[in-house]
Amino acid sequence: MVLSVNEQTFTQEVLASPIPVLVHFWAPWCGLCRNIEPLLSQFQSQCGHRIKVVGINADENFKLANSFRLTTLPTLILLEDGHPQRRWDTLRGREELRAELEKIQLLYENKLCSLAGASSSFTSEWECRLA
């Protein structure tokens, strides 16, 4: 299940997160938003220790929606150390999202392996292969 975040919890859950955060801006009336929610939940369960996924209801959190200059929903923003790294605001469906989530997963698996590779221990190499 994707963590629900609002204006009061945004700083703690997103900006101060020790791991990258994929923010899903959505609204109850948005059909595609509801359609992609299961993929995001699945992604969270697969990558929960490397990437956090949060959902923000744009209708109820107008200040956040406005600060990220949302023009369409759903909008997904990947933040690392509180800074936007990537943004998707023209998703056309589940398959496009699935492909983008796979790219994110590979990116952070490679980053994890690069960091572990710097220590060049045999154990770290195997941890990367199993990740």
Side-chain angles (χ1 to χ4, degrees):
M1 177 165 202
V2 173
L3 177 66
S4 181
V5 171
N6 58 37
E7 291 166 355
Q8 289 73 37
T9 60
F10 184 78
T11 298
Q12 177 184 342
E13 294 294 340
V14 178
L15 299 180
S17 176
I19 61 174
V21 181
L22 181 62
V23 179
H24 173 220
F25 283 98
W26 64 279
W29 48 263
C30 172
L32 184 55
C33 297
R34 288 190 313 270
N35 194 20
I36 66 173
E37 182 69 29
L39 282 177
L40 294 171
S41 293
Q42 179 183 9
F43 179 75
Q44 175 64 62
S45 59
Q46 291 173 343
C47 300
H49 61 286
R50 292 182 303 247
I51 302 167
K52 182 192 298 188
V53 180
V54 301
I56 299 175
N57 182 330
D59 289 346
E60 293 178 358
N61 296 279
F62 183 74
K63 288 181 183 178
L64 282 174
N66 193 38
S67 69
F68 282 97
R69 302 187 195 304
L70 299 186
T71 57
T72 61
L73 292 176
T75 293
L76 294 135
I77 303 173
L78 179 65
L79 291 103
E80 189 172 354
D81 297 322
H83 302 286
Q85 301 299 309
R86 186 94 199 272
R87 180 181 179 122
W88 299 266
D89 27 34
T90 56
L91 290 171
R92 289 181 286 279
R94 290 172 57 96
E95 291 310 311
E96 181 180 2
L97 175 60
R98 188 181 320 271
E100 293 301 320
L101 292 175
E102 287 174 6
K103 289 177 190 175
I104 294 170
Q105 189 172 4
L106 285 173
L107 171 68
Y108 285 99
E109 283 175 0
N110 290 339
K111 281 188 178 188
L112 179 65
C113 289
S114 294
L115 292 173
S119 68
S120 69
S121 73
F122 182 76
T123 306
S124 295
E125 182 179 334
W126 277 104
E127 287 172 353
C128 288
R129 289 181 186 174
L130 297 173

